[in-house]
Amino acid sequence: MQYPKALEDLISEFMKYPGVGRKTAERYAMFSVIDLKNESINDFSQALISAKEKIRPCNICHHLTDKETCDICSDGTRDNSKIMVLETTKDVFSIEKSGTYRGLYHVLNGALSPLNGIGPNELNLVSLWKRLEKDDVKEVILATSATQEGEATAQYIKRVLREVEVLVTRIGYGVPVGSNLEYADDQTLNKAIENRRVF
Amino acid sequence: MEFGQGIHFIIGSNGEGKTNFLESIYVLALAKSYKTSDLVLIRHQEDFAKVEATVLSQSRLFDLSMIISASGKNAIINKTSQKKLSDYIGHLQIVSFLPEDMNIIKGSPRERRYFFDVYMGQMDKNYISNLGNYKYVLKQRNELLKKMNQPNKEDDLLLDVITEQLAEAARPVVEHRKKFIQEINLFLEKQYHLFSSKNEYYRIQYLPSIETEIEKVMKSKYRTDKMSYTTNFGPHRDDYDFYLNDVMAKDYASGGEQRTLILTLDMALAEMMKDRLKEYPVILLDDVFSELDYEKQNKLIQYLSKIQAQAIITTTSLHELNQDALNNVKVFHVSKGHIQEEKQHGKSSKV
């Protein structure tokens, strides 16, 4: 049996979301139609529209914000001498949640991957070089992921920054805190051994 | 169906499904078909193919199952889906002789690389992940080369970075292949006389595309790579030569000599796996008798009985074989895709 067209349209809208397949989309659609009150539906659609309208990348670091410049970049108490380079805006939230880092960020919006059509010009790199022209930045912390793409991106930035007087560091990768060595896979262990330090 | 230790014959006329049966064990062991596409395994108008078996390996029982469908494959151990195929492969070890293997010596380098990769992977799962990693970086580099039509310094720098990654990924693959061939030659040496009483000997030589200073060599080939839009040097262009009494088997070995060489190599691989993993792999021999003479057929049976490995052999009939050698073998008949055990075979076979 086929769904009525309006319901089918709603299902295909939900299926556009990452991680949502047909079954889940059907549940969401049914839930919207049967369980949600009219006002909730109204709030939901308003929230979607206003988020899309108001949220945009920060004009300095490209982190998502509802202002011209994001709260982190405009926070005067943060350490202006450090910039942490990240792949996505989600990563900013992860680092912020951990609470120890007090420097600034730069969101690249991806990682270098010819297979995914992402070259240097597709990333927010030019704006990063511009930020480094000012003298106050002393350290660039490369926190791209420990994947082939993340590693290529970190190497690429490191190579460009050879000509700039700034300390370039890479965050450590290795065994997750609170886990036993026996559960770590070979590649993680190899990385952890490679990145060992004097103790 | 149950298979124990020792020799099992699968008998049937051509086209009845003998090879399909061996192929299902191959797929269960290696999580892929030896044919170019896994999808040919799926029966016409069906959605997926599934193979299941319980195997006893390293004194432990494992339930293995492989499901192959158009949307991908699922490798399952003890009801748990394995995220990485390198965690799956190695639970059921095999050595196989297939009619296709006749192309190894004279065929393309790709067939030789594939042949050895299968065995290196079964003996060391790090090899599977190292090779997978290399192939992934290679894809990235080739894609970049395809896109580099106008010169610009951003792309050149990225090519440099990815080339360094590729060289780094190539190193463990080349080292592994080099060591493996050194070792297999030692096992091959012990098997020279398996089939031949003549003073014949075999040797395999590894021909790496780049052996040392991989990064330097790769970086010196930018021009060639850019002109051909692809990576021309690296482990994906490695090759192996087979020698028969110091002459290249590729040029001089007859069909019969090639077959004997490959079978001897298969048995050397079985011995190497026994040495590494403390137990023999399952030995799969597809239609191996049709082209061996009487003496060699019986030598093979003798050898397999002696080592007591689990061997599964397809053939059209047993009449040609020395009947004395067929004690304690199990016999199955295949017809129209169905397989059935023969209750009583020969004088003293067990039921």
Side-chain angles (χ1 to χ4, degrees):
Chain A
M1 208 207 95
Q2 276 184 343
Y3 288 109
K5 184 170 182 306
L7 196 54
E8 187 60 52
D9 288 348
L10 184 58
I11 292 169
S12 36
E13 289 307 318
F14 280 123
M15 278 173 72
K16 290 178 182 164
Y17 283 76
V20 178
R22 174 105 204 153
K23 284 255 157 61
T24 311
E26 285 171 357
R27 274 179 57 206
Y28 288 177
M30 291 298 184
F31 179 81
S32 316
V33 176
I34 299 166
D35 298 285
L36 282 184
K37 297 199 177 85
N38 281 350
E39 55 211 89
S40 307
I41 288 284
N42 212 12
D43 291 347
F44 186 23
S45 50
Q46 275 310 314
L48 271 178
I49 292 165
S50 96
K52 188 68 191 169
E53 272 174 6
K54 289 181 187 149
I55 302 295
R56 53 184 161 150
C58 163
N59 63 350
I60 298 174
C61 74
H62 308 280
H63 181 39
L64 292 184
T65 174
D66 53 5
K67 308 189 181 80
E68 186 87 356
T69 303
C70 76
D71 290 342
I72 298 170
C73 287
S74 44
D75 181 344
T77 70
R78 298 197 64 125
D79 182 353
N80 286 340
S81 70
K82 293 185 176 69
I83 294 182
M84 185 182 282
V85 179
L86 296 167
E87 287 177 22
T88 68
T89 215
K90 249 178 79 185
D91 298 336
V92 176
F93 291 111
S94 306
I95 303 275
E96 280 296 288
K97 220 169 57 193
S98 73
T100 44
Y101 180 69
R102 291 292 298 158
L104 303 175
Y105 295 99
H106 192 85
V107 178
L108 296 173
N109 224 350
L112 293 171
S113 172
L115 284 171
N116 295 324
I118 303 177
N121 294 326
E122 275 69 41
L123 299 180
N124 296 320
L125 286 170
V126 177
S127 55
L128 176 64
W129 315 147
K130 287 245 165 68
R131 286 177 81 182
L132 298 177
E133 281 168 8
K134 290 184 227 146
D135 288 338
D136 27 353
V137 182
K138 301 280 183 282
E139 181 178 356
V140 172
I141 304 161
L142 301 173
T144 49
S145 13
T147 56
Q148 182 269 327
E149 291 85 352
E151 206 59 53
T153 310
Q155 284 293 341
Y156 183 92
I157 295 173
K158 182 182 130 187
R159 289 280 292 268
V160 174
L161 296 186
R162 266 184 197 170
E163 287 145 42
V164 180
E165 210 175 303
V166 66
L167 174 68
V168 179
T169 56
R170 178 96 170 99
I171 60 161
Y173 288 95
V175 187
V177 174
S179 74
N180 280 328
L181 280 188
E182 60 176 314
Y183 297 120
D185 64 277
D186 296 342
Q187 281 184 338
T188 305
L189 280 178
N190 287 340
K191 270 270 173 263
I193 294 167
E194 216 175 278
N195 297 329
R196 71 191 183 279
R197 57 189 171 89
V198 179
F199 186 64
Chain B
M1 261 192 323
E2 220 175 300
F3 292 93
Q5 229 175 23
I7 302 174
H8 304 70
F9 282 106
I10 312 281
I11 302 175
S13 313
N14 290 326
E16 299 283 355
K18 299 191 300 285
T19 302
N20 291 353
F21 177 70
L22 278 198
E23 185 171 23
S24 67
I25 303 176
Y26 187 100
V27 170
L28 201 61
L30 303 176
K32 63 184 163 202
S33 158
Y34 53 82
K35 306 218 172 83
T36 34
S37 159
D38 289 327
L39 297 179
V40 300
L41 296 171
I42 302 170
R43 193 178 293 169
H44 186 55
Q45 292 195 326
E46 296 283 345
D47 293 331
F48 65 91
K50 183 175 182 180
V51 195
E52 284 180 308
T54 303
V55 299
L56 177 67
S57 169
Q58 314 290 338
S59 334
R60 283 170 67 191
L61 281 172
F62 294 100
D63 285 323
L64 300 183
S65 77
M66 270 303 303
I67 300 169
I68 291 170
S69 68
S71 58
K73 38 190 167 183
N74 191 359
I76 303 163
I77 305 173
N78 296 336
K79 303 205 165 82
T80 312
S81 234
Q82 302 297 303
K83 258 190 259 161
K84 289 188 280 182
L85 287 181
S86 60
D87 289 335
Y88 175 86
I89 296 166
H91 285 81
L92 167 59
Q93 268 114 13
I94 58 161
V95 161
S96 63
F97 177 88
L98 310 161
E100 284 84 346
D101 291 346
M102 281 305 296
N103 300 329
I104 292 167
I105 295 174
K106 297 202 178 185
S108 67
R110 177 194 299 270
E111 286 165 275
R112 285 185 282 279
R113 284 194 299 271
Y114 182 80
F115 178 85
F116 287 113
D117 281 348
V118 160
Y119 293 103
M120 288 186 263
Q122 286 193 88
M123 283 186 248
D124 189 344
K125 71 173 190 167
N126 283 327
Y127 181 75
I128 306 176
S129 44
N130 287 338
L131 185 63
N133 183 30
Y134 175 79
K135 286 183 175 170
Y136 187 72
V137 186
L138 180 66
K139 264 200 213 162
Q140 291 278 24
R141 189 175 191 269
N142 287 342
E143 193 61 36
L144 176 64
L145 286 165
K146 261 185 244 162
K147 287 173 183 159
M148 288 178 77
N149 21 32
Q150 308 118 325
N152 73 67
K153 68 179 199 316
E154 281 90 2
D155 282 349
D156 279 334
L157 180 53
L158 183 56
L159 180 64
D160 237 21
V161 166
I162 292 184
T163 303
E164 284 160 22
Q165 283 187 321
L166 190 67
E168 181 83 25
R171 206 167 300 123
V173 175
V174 175
E175 288 308 315
H176 198 109
R177 287 177 176 174
K178 200 192 286 179
K179 224 173 119 214
F180 180 85
I181 293 301
Q182 274 168 11
E183 284 172 38
I184 194 63
N185 277 325
L186 299 177
F187 285 93
L188 206 48
E189 211 170 285
K190 294 181 198 149
Q191 302 285 2
Y192 292 157
H193 300 294
L194 182 60
F195 295 110
S196 147
S197 42
K198 281 185 284 176
N199 239 350
E200 272 182 348
Y201 61 94
Y202 306 129
R203 189 168 54 83
I204 296 162
Q205 194 181 1
Y206 173 43
L207 306 166
S209 159
I210 312 173
E211 191 169 0
T212 51
E213 299 197 85
I214 300 177
E215 186 183 315
K216 211 170 133 191
V217 177
M218 283 179 170
K219 284 187 171 175
S220 71
K221 307 293 182 187
Y222 281 168
R223 254 178 74 96
T224 326
D225 286 353
K226 279 181 182 175
M227 264 160 46
S228 55
Y229 307 105
T230 190
T231 305
N232 291 284
F233 299 87
H236 63 294
R237 295 287 170 90
D238 282 355
D239 201 355
Y240 304 86
D241 269 340
F242 293 72
Y243 284 88
L244 168 65
N245 298 333
D246 279 334
V247 298
M248 278 230 253
K250 202 187 310 196
D251 301 330
Y252 295 101
S254 68
E257 283 170 331
Q258 289 178 56
R259 193 170 295 108
T260 319
L261 200 166
I262 293 167
L263 263 175
T264 310
L265 173 59
D266 284 339
M267 298 311 131
L269 286 163
E271 293 292 344
M272 185 173 175
M273 283 160 104
K274 158 81 176 167
D275 183 70
R276 287 291 163 81
L277 312 159
K278 307 300 166 217
E279 65 193 8
Y280 279 104
V282 177
I283 297 173
L284 306 175
L285 304 171
D286 193 14
D287 204 17
V288 66
F289 292 128
S290 62
E291 316 211 28
L292 288 180
D293 61 32
Y294 183 77
E295 191 195 340
K296 284 179 178 158
Q297 289 176 2
N298 288 301
K299 279 186 166 167
L300 179 60
I301 299 287
Q302 265 171 26
Y303 171 75
L304 293 173
S305 320
K306 192 187 87 198
I307 65 172
Q308 296 222 310
Q310 185 176 57
I312 302 173
I313 307 171
T314 66
T315 181
T316 44
S317 92
L318 290 178
H319 298 313
E320 299 287 303
L321 292 168
N322 180 350
Q323 297 300 313
D324 290 338
L326 298 182
N327 290 337
N328 292 316
V329 302
K330 276 190 175 183
V331 176
F332 298 81
H333 291 273
V334 183
S335 114
K336 299 197 178 72
H338 293 283
I339 186 162
Q340 204 168 25
E341 184 169 358
E342 184 176 300
K343 287 296 172 212
Q344 203 71 57
H345 180 81
K347 295 164 246 169
S348 60
S349 64
K350 280 177 274 177
V351 178

